[in-house]
Amino acid sequence: MTTQSEQADLLAEPLDFLLTTAATGPLRRFLPNSSWVRMATGLAARPGTVARRSSDLAAEFARVMTGNSGRAPSKRDRRFADPAWSQNPLLRRIVQAYLALQETVGVLPNDAQLDWRDTERMTFVLDNLIGALAPSNNALISPVAWKALIDTAGLSSVAGVRNLVRDLSTRPRVPRMIEPTAFTVGETVAATPGAVVHRTEVFELIQYTPQSANVRTVPLLIVPPVINKYYVVDIAPGRSLVEYFLQQGQQVFTISWCNPDARHRDWGMDTYGEAILDAMDAVQRICRSEATNLFATCSGGILASMVMSHLADRGELDRVAGLALAVSVLDQSRAGLVSAVVDERVAAAAIAASASKGYLDGRTLAEVFAWLRPVDLIWNYWVNNYLQGRPPSPFDVLFWNADTTRMTAALHRAFVELGMSNSLTHPGTVTMLGTAVDLGKVTTPSYVIAGIADHICPWQSCYRSTQLLGGESRFVLSTSGHIASMVNPPGNPKATFQVNTGNPPDPDEWLLTADTVQGSWWPDYIAWLNEHGGKLKAAPTTLGGAGMDPLEPAPGSYVFQT
């Protein structure tokens, strides 16, 4: 079992991979295909290797049966944390046999001498199959299942069956990671006071009530992802990035995207780019400011960067004083599983699937997230929800992740094609609002944040934004993973981040000479933001202005769309 923070970091993958897999179905990757045939052929061509592996496994099984095996699970493997797995002779032997099998199966793709693509594909499949066979998932021998059964006089089994039937009857058909009543939007999450001051069919603009006597004259506009709802930046009080910005004297606004359906199938990148410009116009009018700072996250960072290139072509780059990109990848070149499973055929199938509906269903994304890390996001909750009959523990980030949204077919197609061609690294090959995108023209100072443990947006990929953008850039590398890099309030004694005075082309060279700083990067960003935030002035006593009066209290209406 993982900690809640670790589970939060497992909830995303590179954008093009997620969007293709979500549209074609996550379980498709487990079906036999040509990679299976090539592995079988490769093993058949090496009978000596197969015989040696079989002999070694049989010998280890013999040592396990006679009690002479020294195998033991890693201390980090929480599946076998219960003392019974090591103290009960039968259970200890079952675990040792499983670990031996896991080790043998894990080396088969390399033994078959497959190319890197087939190796990645088959490693993924075999790891998932072995993960499913873990004895910790077996209700008949799981010590935690038996303890729950005894403690509840059998009621845990009734609750477990009820939970299983409930989860299989509705999408996404995976174990529930959070109860839908664990948090309340507008009360326990997305609870920072403010008001909707502008609304279009694409987005609502939320202005937050200042929490300091003085504020910076240049406002801050947050551009959230278009895949999830905005409030990962305004999670529970005390952990809210928005709340922290306000306490540090910033005038803060955020976009809350409409949750689209089939009627909005044609909303593409230009639609969302125009929405960002519209939001900037409203912010500048309300604050009577000639510029704004942008803080863009994940897919929102891709859109914001393209808008910046458009502003450069229009000679309006001075409208943005500073650009922050948080866990956002502009250069999407990468290797590993993503490159192995996403090809032109898969991409075309994904685009066709969303086009037939008019949108990509957010519930399919939730299913993809779970099956990408099944040990932690499937089998962990299998044990908790079904074998023990317990409700999952409340955690604000998991609640946010379960609050799914859709993506329009046009935007889905654009993002998949962008990822497949890696167009942002090739000036002029993609457009935004009729102008060719060239990120080298974006000379605005930038602040780029990544997580060293981020398997979703690899930090090296995030770092390459410093090479694409034309202005001076400060790169900050947190010790956290993807979501923990965002939800990273000061006060965690284990938190650190790394910074460097230069940005060499090679990210590993940057890392070798970087300095480590204790604590969260939030105060570092505020110090950088203050350099681009203008002078201090008295905080406004009312929200809205310039003909834009508050329409309703935050968090608005769009965040409740299902």
Side-chain angles (χ1 to χ4, degrees):
M1 295 174 63
T2 59
T3 65
Q4 289 183 330
S5 178
E6 290 168 338
Q7 290 165 9
D9 290 333
L10 298 173
L11 292 176
E13 282 287 334
L15 187 61
D16 52 336
F17 183 44
L18 283 178
L19 298 184
T20 52
T21 305
T24 57
L27 298 183
R28 175 176 176 174
R29 289 187 291 136
F30 296 98
L31 298 177
N33 54 33
S34 57
S35 295
W36 291 54
V37 174
R38 283 188 287 271
M39 191 178 85
T41 302
L43 292 175
R46 296 165 181 84
T49 299
V50 175
R52 187 177 70 255
R53 295 293 184 197
S54 301
S55 176
D56 290 346
L57 181 60
E60 181 61 16
F61 279 166
R63 286 190 289 270
V64 168
M65 295 300 294
T66 58
N68 294 317
S69 175
R71 287 184 182 272
S74 166
K75 292 181 179 180
R76 293 178 294 179
D77 192 343
R78 298 184 181 91
R79 294 176 298 175
F80 307 113
D82 191 283
W85 290 115
S86 58
Q87 296 176 8
N88 181 289
L90 176 60
L91 293 182
R92 183 174 65 250
R93 285 170 168 78
I94 291 174
V95 171
Q96 289 174 332
Y98 169 75
L99 294 175
L101 178 64
Q102 177 179 261
E103 180 182 296
T104 301
V105 171
V107 298
L108 291 181
N110 288 327
D111 286 347
Q113 297 185 16
L114 304 173
D115 64 20
W116 73 271
R117 189 181 296 273
D118 284 335
T119 297
E120 291 288 347
R121 288 171 172 169
M122 293 311 303
T123 297
F124 173 84
V125 171
L126 294 175
D127 284 350
N128 275 269
L129 292 176
I130 289 296
L133 292 173
S136 55
N137 301 331
N138 191 322
L140 297 179
I141 61 174
S142 169
V144 296
W146 280 103
K147 289 174 183 177
L149 192 70
I150 295 170
D151 291 344
T152 64
L155 293 180
S156 63
S157 62
V158 177
V161 171
R162 183 174 63 246
N163 292 342
L164 178 62
V165 172
R166 176 202 63 194
D167 292 344
L168 292 180
S169 63
T170 57
R171 297 179 63 186
R173 293 179 176 86
V174 295
R176 182 175 290 182
M177 288 181 274
I178 192 76
E179 293 294 335
T181 57
F183 295 88
T184 303
V185 176
E187 296 180 14
T188 52
V189 292
T192 303
V196 175
V197 292
H198 182 53
R199 179 184 289 129
T200 73
E201 63 175 344
V202 181
F203 73 98
E204 290 179 332
L205 179 66
I206 298 173
Q207 180 184 12
Y208 292 97
T209 304
Q211 296 187 17
S212 60
N214 297 303
V215 296
R216 294 286 171 179
T217 54
V218 178
L220 176 66
L221 172 62
I222 298 174
V223 183
V226 290
I227 299 176
N228 299 98
K229 293 183 178 177
Y230 82 90
Y231 62 88
V232 71
V233 298
D234 186 25
I235 213 72
R239 289 161 46 80
S240 167
L241 188 61
V242 166
E243 180 184 61
Y244 180 79
F245 287 162
L246 292 167
Q247 292 169 351
Q248 303 305 310
Q250 300 296 322
Q251 297 186 80
V252 184
F253 296 76
T254 189
I255 290 171
S256 175
W257 299 113
C258 167
N259 190 2
D261 55 36
R263 296 170 298 171
H264 311 117
R265 64 170 57 244
D266 295 325
W267 287 3
M269 283 193 169
D270 283 352
T271 305
Y272 287 87
E274 189 65 51
I276 294 173
L277 291 177
D278 190 358
M280 288 174 56
D281 290 340
V283 169
Q284 290 178 231
R285 284 176 56 190
I286 290 171
C287 297
R288 296 182 176 88
S289 173
E290 295 182 355
T292 186
N293 283 298
L294 292 181
F295 183 93
T297 66
C298 201
S299 57
I302 296 174
L303 293 168
S305 299
M306 296 173 71
V307 168
M308 292 291 292
S309 175
H310 173 68
L311 290 173
D313 266 12
R314 288 173 48 177
E316 298 179 7
L317 203 54
D318 57 354
R319 290 186 59 189
V320 180
L323 171 67
L325 299 175
V327 292
S328 183
V329 173
L330 305 182
D331 182 349
Q332 300 191 46
S333 58
R334 57 172 68 86
L337 176 64
V338 176
S339 299
V341 301
V342 179
D343 54 28
E344 291 184 0
R345 179 182 57 82
V346 174
I351 290 169
S354 65
S356 66
K357 290 183 179 179
Y359 58 85
L360 177 68
D361 193 335
R363 291 173 297 181
T364 63
L365 274 173
E367 190 174 355
V368 170
F369 286 140
W371 281 109
L372 286 171
R373 295 294 185 272
V375 170
D376 299 296
L377 299 179
I378 296 289
W379 304 118
N380 175 31
Y381 291 98
W382 171 277
V383 173
N384 181 83
N385 300 7
Y386 308 149
L387 302 194
Q388 295 179 279
R390 296 165 49 187
S393 301
F395 185 40
D396 50 14
V397 171
L398 294 180
F399 179 84
W400 162 80
N401 184 70
D403 193 3
T404 59
T405 64
R406 293 173 289 274
M407 176 181 282
T408 69
L411 188 63
H412 178 226
R413 178 187 184 108
F415 270 128
V416 170
E417 292 177 344
L418 189 73
M420 291 296 298
S421 61
N422 203 16
S423 300
L424 295 183
T425 64
H426 306 291
T429 58
V430 66
T431 64
M432 170 57 73
L433 296 169
T435 60
V437 173
D438 181 354
L439 297 181
K441 295 180 180 179
V442 181
T443 56
T444 303
S446 60
Y447 188 99
V448 180
I449 309 121
I452 197 168
D454 190 344
H455 66 280
I456 303 152
C457 298
W459 77 266
Q460 296 91 339
S461 298
C462 294
Y463 177 82
R464 287 195 287 271
S465 296
T466 66
Q467 310 300 303
L468 290 176
L469 298 170
E472 180 180 345
S473 185
R474 179 172 178 79
F475 182 75
V476 173
L477 181 60
S478 171
T479 50
S480 308
H482 187 75
I483 296 178
S485 292
M486 289 289 300
V487 185
N488 188 21
N492 180 359
K494 296 182 180 179
T496 63
F497 63 93
Q498 297 181 77
V499 292
N500 203 327
T501 55
N503 294 322
D506 184 357
D508 292 327
E509 182 181 346
W510 180 95
L511 186 61
L512 285 174
T513 56
D515 296 321
T516 300
V517 182
Q518 290 296 128
S520 166
W521 58 265
W522 288 11
D524 184 81
Y525 174 63
I526 287 295
W528 181 90
L529 190 60
N530 287 342
E531 296 176 6
H532 307 284
K535 299 179 180 179
L536 288 170
K537 67 174 186 178
T541 57
T542 59
L543 300 180
M548 295 185 177
D549 296 325
L551 302 176
E552 65 176 299
S557 299
Y558 285 0
V559 74
F560 293 106
Q561 292 176 333
T562 59

